[in-house]
Amino acid sequence: MLSIESLQLVDLIARTGSFTAAAKALHRVPSAVSYAVRNIEEELGVELFRRLHRTVVLTEAGHHFVDEARGMLKKMDEIKRETLRVANGWQPSLSIALDNIVCADRISALMADFYRHFDNVELIVRIEVFNGVWEALVTGRSDIAIGATTAVPVGGDFQFRDMGSIEWAFLVSRNHPLATVTTPLSNDVLAAFPSICLEDTSRDIPKRTTWLLPNQRRLVVPDWLRAINCFTEGLGIGYMPVHLARPYIESGALVEKTVEHPKAPAPCCVAWYGGKTPPVLDWVLDYLGDSEKLHREWIS
């Protein structure tokens, strides 16, 4: 069976062009190198080198062998380096689950800064909704969750960093029948109109809804962008995070209303598994900063 040393020897001879030069580089006598090559050729059943007076040249089979050998040697070096990195806490990829509730521009900034800092780690970003964030973390699809509710729906050894609370705005379109109502809206009045709800992306953990009254019709959308379209078209009513709704309220496209039973602020956090954290995760946690920075940049 061919050894790594055999592949390295043939590669060296191909680069130096002679048994003598290769032997000198290896501090061996030329006859030992020639003998080793003959054994390799006998094992393969092909001639790798055409012997000339003072030099050797690769045969067609030799060219193929050297190309493949160099690829294998390069791969072996990569395996050695990656194994050493893993032993020192390196991992080849990092998966982040983000709730659709966080600011989109911060996601883009995180991705750009991550790839500027790491040239040998893949970043996998998953956009989830509500309990889908926790499910991604619990199932191992993600290493860290950003914007997860602090009402943990599962058990596990997690560490947390508080992000503060999401403030909610109850919205209708400027052309909606409720837009001109000046008194606080009761549940009986609201139940007559469809509730715009985001679809929770969890599969096994019980799903949550944005806001829904008993016997109220739903209009279910996959993300806040589609929800905004439905709000502005007057297709339904409901809650949106204030930081996402603010531009549309200020432009007059949406109208914030007072309701008799307002939705409470929703605490959220960054969460990751406890125990030793790999260096790449430490970098992300340091990048995200403390609770004040998290709240300011991601949910306000």
Side-chain angles (χ1 to χ4, degrees):
M1 184 176 182
L2 292 176
S3 64
I4 294 177
E5 290 75 15
S6 297
L7 303 182
Q8 293 171 331
L9 176 61
V10 174
D11 175 46
L12 178 61
I13 296 169
R15 286 188 284 107
T16 59
S18 76
F19 292 160
T20 301
K24 185 177 180 180
L26 295 171
H27 306 290
R28 296 165 65 180
V29 296
S31 60
V33 171
S34 177
Y35 178 77
V37 171
R38 179 59 63 190
N39 286 339
I40 294 170
E41 289 176 326
E42 288 179 357
E43 182 173 351
L44 292 171
V46 298
E47 188 177 67
L48 299 176
F49 295 99
R50 190 157 51 90
R51 281 77 168 167
L52 304 178
H53 180 56
R54 295 188 177 182
T55 61
V56 293
V57 294
L58 288 166
T59 62
E60 183 176 354
H63 277 293
H64 173 77
F65 182 88
V66 168
D67 288 343
E68 294 295 322
R70 286 171 177 168
M72 292 176 67
L73 291 170
K74 182 179 179 181
K75 183 63 178 177
M76 287 300 299
D77 285 340
E78 291 175 358
I79 292 172
K80 290 177 183 177
R81 288 196 301 271
E82 290 178 6
T83 301
L84 182 60
R85 291 191 190 115
V86 170
N88 293 327
W90 175 85
Q91 62 185 64
S93 65
L94 182 78
S95 177
I96 302 177
L98 299 116
D99 194 294
N100 188 239
I101 213 166
V102 302
C103 297
D105 59 341
R106 292 309 308 159
I107 301 174
S108 300
L110 170 60
M111 294 168 64
D113 291 337
F114 184 95
Y115 271 92
R116 291 189 188 103
H117 190 84
F118 295 100
D119 60 4
N120 60 350
V121 182
E122 290 184 346
L123 179 63
I124 303 169
V125 175
R126 306 180 190 278
I127 305 299
E128 304 284 351
V129 177
F130 298 143
N131 283 345
V133 176
W134 283 110
E135 190 167 276
L137 191 61
V138 171
T139 59
R141 297 200 310 273
S142 294
D143 302 295
I144 182 173
I146 302 175
T149 172
T150 50
V152 186
V154 293
D157 180 22
F158 299 109
Q159 293 190 46
F160 306 93
R161 186 174 298 171
D162 182 41
M163 296 181 67
S165 294
I166 296 287
E167 300 291 335
W168 299 93
F170 191 89
L171 303 172
V172 300
S173 168
R174 61 186 173 191
N175 298 318
H176 195 275
L178 298 178
T180 57
V181 177
T182 57
T183 56
L185 301 171
S186 67
N187 286 351
D188 289 340
V189 171
L190 298 175
F193 302 96
S195 172
I196 298 173
C197 303
L198 261 65
E199 176 70 18
D200 193 316
T201 53
S202 68
R203 301 183 183 92
D204 299 320
I205 299 175
K207 294 179 180 289
R208 294 165 47 211
T209 58
T210 315
W211 170 80
L212 186 68
L213 296 173
N215 301 316
Q216 187 179 24
R217 191 157 58 110
R218 296 185 305 161
L219 198 170
V220 181
V221 293
D223 52 46
W224 287 114
L225 180 59
R226 254 51 61 174
I228 290 166
N229 293 338
C230 293
F231 276 116
T232 55
E233 290 295 324
L235 301 180
I237 61 176
Y239 283 97
M240 271 187 63
V242 169
H243 68 278
L244 298 180
R246 188 178 296 116
Y248 302 94
I249 296 172
E250 293 175 350
S251 70
L254 297 177
V255 179
E256 183 176 5
K257 303 301 296 182
T258 302
V259 298
E260 290 183 354
H261 303 285
K263 182 178 176 68
C268 62
C269 67
V270 174
W272 65 99
Y273 268 111
K276 184 179 179 180
T277 56
V280 64
L281 182 54
D282 281 333
W283 182 90
V284 171
L285 290 169
D286 183 64
Y287 177 90
L288 294 173
D290 60 15
S291 296
E292 182 181 350
K293 182 181 178 183
L294 280 164
H295 183 80
R296 182 178 67 251
E297 294 187 349
W298 291 86
I299 60 172
S300 68

